[in-house]
Amino acid sequence: MINGKRVKTVDVHAHCIVPEAAAVINHPLEAPGLFVEQPAGPHRGDGRGGDRCRGAQHQPLLVSRNATPAAELIKIQNEKLAEFCAATPDRFVAFATVALQHPDLAVEQLQYAIKTLELRGLSVGGSVAGQELADPKFHPVWAKAEELGILIFMHPLGTRELEPSGRLKGSGLLTNTIGNPLETTIALSHLIFEGTLDRFPGLKICAAHGGGFLPSYANRSDAVITTFP
Ligand SMILES: [Zn+2]
C-alpha cells in the first residue's frame, strides 16, 4: 500500500519443476513436499504475495547433448506451464525454456512457446554447458527473441568451474552467495563487451539477483573499456 492505495506488484522470479519433464532425464524432485497438483485458488502457489508471478526454470535440468530428450523434455515442460497458467490467468504467467545447446531447435521451441502456448518470455541460465551466452552460436536465438519482443529472464547456475579449486568451500554457501551473482556478472559482461547487445539492441534482459555484481561495478567496466579498448 502506498498512501492507502494498493499497488500492483509483479514477482518476476519464482521456481518450479514439472515432474513429467524431470522424469524424461530421471532428474529427482528437489522439494517433493512443495508439490502442487493444480493451483487451488487465486492466492496460493507463489507464497510471496506478488500479484503476479512468472516461473523461471533452471537450465541444468535441460542441458542434454542429445536433441531428442531435450526436445521431448522442453515440449512437456512448456506445455504443462501453459496449462498451469491457464488455470490461474490472474496469478501466473510463465517463461519458456528452450534447448539453447541446439540453437536451431531453440528458435523453433521459442516460436512455438510464445505464439502457440502464449508463454510470456524466455528463461535462460548464465551459460550453456560451459559456453557463454555471448557466443555467436546463440545469435539466432537472440534474433528470434528480439523479433518476438519478449523478456529474457537470466538465472545463473553458479560458477561450477571455480568449485574444484576449493575457494568457495567453507561457511556461507559461497557457491550460491557469491557464485550465482558472479556467473550473472560474467554472462552480462560478455554480452556487453562481445557486442551482443549492440548487435541485438532490442533485447530485453532481466538478470536475477539484482544483476549480480555488474551494477555496483558499472563505472569500473566503463573505465576499463576506455583504458584498455
Ligand atoms: Zn532463483
Side-chain angles (χ1 to χ4, degrees), residues 13 15 155 209:
H13 180 168
H15 291 260
H155 192 295
H209 319 126

Side-chain angles (χ1 to χ4, degrees), residues 19-103:
E20 295 89 340
V24 173
I25 54 167
N26 296 315
H27 190 281
L29 299 183
E30 284 164 30
L34 294 177
F35 184 70
V36 179
E37 188 69 49
Q38 274 296 324
H43 288 283
R44 263 196 63 192
D46 63 332
R48 288 195 194 173
D51 287 311
R52 183 166 276 196
C53 255
R54 290 176 189 253
Q57 292 74 52
H58 265 308
Q59 194 76 4
L61 175 64
L62 303 164
V63 176
S64 163
R65 298 199 186 275
N66 185 334
T68 306
E72 185 190 354
L73 185 156
I74 282 171
K75 184 172 191 318
I76 294 170
Q77 167 142 325
N78 288 342
E79 288 181 352
K80 286 282 174 189
L81 279 174
E83 270 176 41
F84 187 88
C85 294
T88 49
D90 58 331
R91 294 288 289 165
F92 292 101
V93 295
F95 290 116
T97 304
V98 299
L100 277 178
Q101 71 276 25
H102 308 292

Side-chain angles (χ1 to χ4, degrees), residues 103 132-142 194 196 199-200:
E132 294 299 334
L133 297 179
D135 192 298
K137 77 182 275 193
F138 303 119
H139 283 174
V141 182
W142 310 139
E194 300 303 324
T196 313
R199 183 180 283 259
F200 303 104

Side-chain angles (χ1 to χ4, degrees), residues 16 18 34 45 64 69 83 89 97 110 125 139 153 163-164 175 194 205 209 221-223:
C16 75
V18 175
L34 294 177
S64 163
E83 270 176 41
T97 304
L110 184 57
H139 283 174
F153 182 73
E163 290 177 24
T175 50
E194 300 303 324
I205 300 175
H209 319 126
S221 299
D222 287 346

